[in-house]
Amino acid sequence: MKEHVDILISEENVDKKIEEIGKKISEEYQGKSVHLICVLKGGAFFMCELAKRITVPVSMDFMAVSSYGSVTESSGHLKMIKDLDESIEGKDVLIVEDIIDSGRTLDKLVTLLKTRGPKSIKVCTLLDKPDRRVVDVNVDYTCFNIPDEFVVGYGLDYDQKYRNLPFIGVVRFEE
Ligand code: IMP
Ligand code: MG
């Protein structure tokens, strides 16, 4: 099956929104440092852009988990592919996600990280598909709520493709 990508959110609008959220985070973490945790690979582009717009001291770490194969449905089973390099004990942690769909991945991730003694733990996501939620998760910062469509770009992939698109697009399948 062939596919093509239609623009859903332009590069300009994504950038504007990230700047806005970065400002909000900077205000709310005033007087503290924030420890960003990027959920690879999808969160990488968003975290870099966001980090540049935060004005309080920032540290960063990366982890990779998987709840997806190459299909478009979450299995709800969290597989640790790469753990964090550093301890999060006593830190104000902000998890940076690309997208929240069923919420299963995030729910399991937050539960795991809470056992490691962070001072606080919050969640920031580029995209949210609220209609798809199966597990109730708390999200502190959301850039965009989107309809139930499969999206790519700005770090998000379809079968490992399209992560490098500078906008958010919808994948359409053709005969
Ligand atoms: P959840 O566990 O169902 O919330 O799945 C979350 C993960 O599924 C995200 O971190 C993405 O990696 C992936 N995902 C969910 N929806 C999409 C989408 O529309 N495009 C690309 N990846 C997606
Ligand atoms: Mg992800």
Side-chain angles (χ1 to χ4, degrees), residues 126 133 173:
L126 178 60
R133 198 71 90 254
F173 298 95

Side-chain angles (χ1 to χ4, degrees), residues 7-170:
I7 296 183
L8 180 68
I9 309 166
S10 70
E11 181 174 10
E12 196 193 344
N13 286 343
V14 178
D15 290 348
K16 245 192 257 163
K17 182 58 83 173
I18 295 177
E19 180 157 5
E20 208 178 293
I21 296 285
K23 221 179 246 172
K24 199 168 165 206
I25 291 170
S26 305
E27 283 163 15
E28 294 185 9
Y29 283 82
Q30 203 55 249
K32 303 180 191 172
S33 333
V34 59
H35 188 63
L36 302 180
I37 291 182
C38 172
V39 185
L40 293 169
K41 302 170 189 166
F45 288 67
F46 175 42
M47 185 165 100
C48 294
E49 291 306 312
L50 182 68
K52 289 193 281 182
R53 290 162 174 98
I54 296 176
T55 53
V56 298
V58 166
S59 54
M60 293 186 260
D61 206 345
F62 299 82
M63 74 191 300
V65 294
S66 169
S67 61
Y68 263 57
S70 59
V71 286
T72 56
E73 210 41 51
S74 168
S75 68
H77 194 87
L78 193 73
K79 191 170 122 199
M80 176 74 70
I81 296 165
K82 183 215 171 295
D83 206 341
L84 297 170
D85 291 336
E86 292 153 41
S87 161
I88 56 168
E89 204 177 330
K91 293 181 184 168
D92 288 304
V93 167
L94 183 60
I95 299 175
V96 181
E97 265 283 18
D98 51 356
I99 188 164
I100 302 164
D101 189 21
S102 71
R104 289 187 184 108
T105 310
L106 183 63
D107 180 56
K108 292 210 164 58
L109 194 59
V110 170
T111 304
L112 170 71
L113 294 183
K114 274 186 179 162
T115 66
R116 299 182 180 182
K119 188 169 160 207
S120 68
I121 185 156
K122 285 191 177 188
V123 175
C124 178
T125 188
L126 178 60
L127 303 170
D128 191 348
K129 289 193 228 178
D131 297 346
R132 298 260 304 171
R133 198 71 90 254
V134 174
V135 180
D136 193 23
V137 284
N138 192 49
V139 184
D140 301 279
Y141 307 98
T142 302
C143 291
F144 301 98
N145 282 316
I146 58 163
D148 179 13
E149 296 206 73
F150 199 79
V151 291
V152 293
Y154 230 95
L156 289 129
D157 73 302
Y158 169 65
D159 215 4
Q160 298 304 323
K161 292 181 289 188
Y162 307 120
R163 290 191 195 276
N164 60 314
L165 295 178
F167 54 84
I168 311 286
V170 178

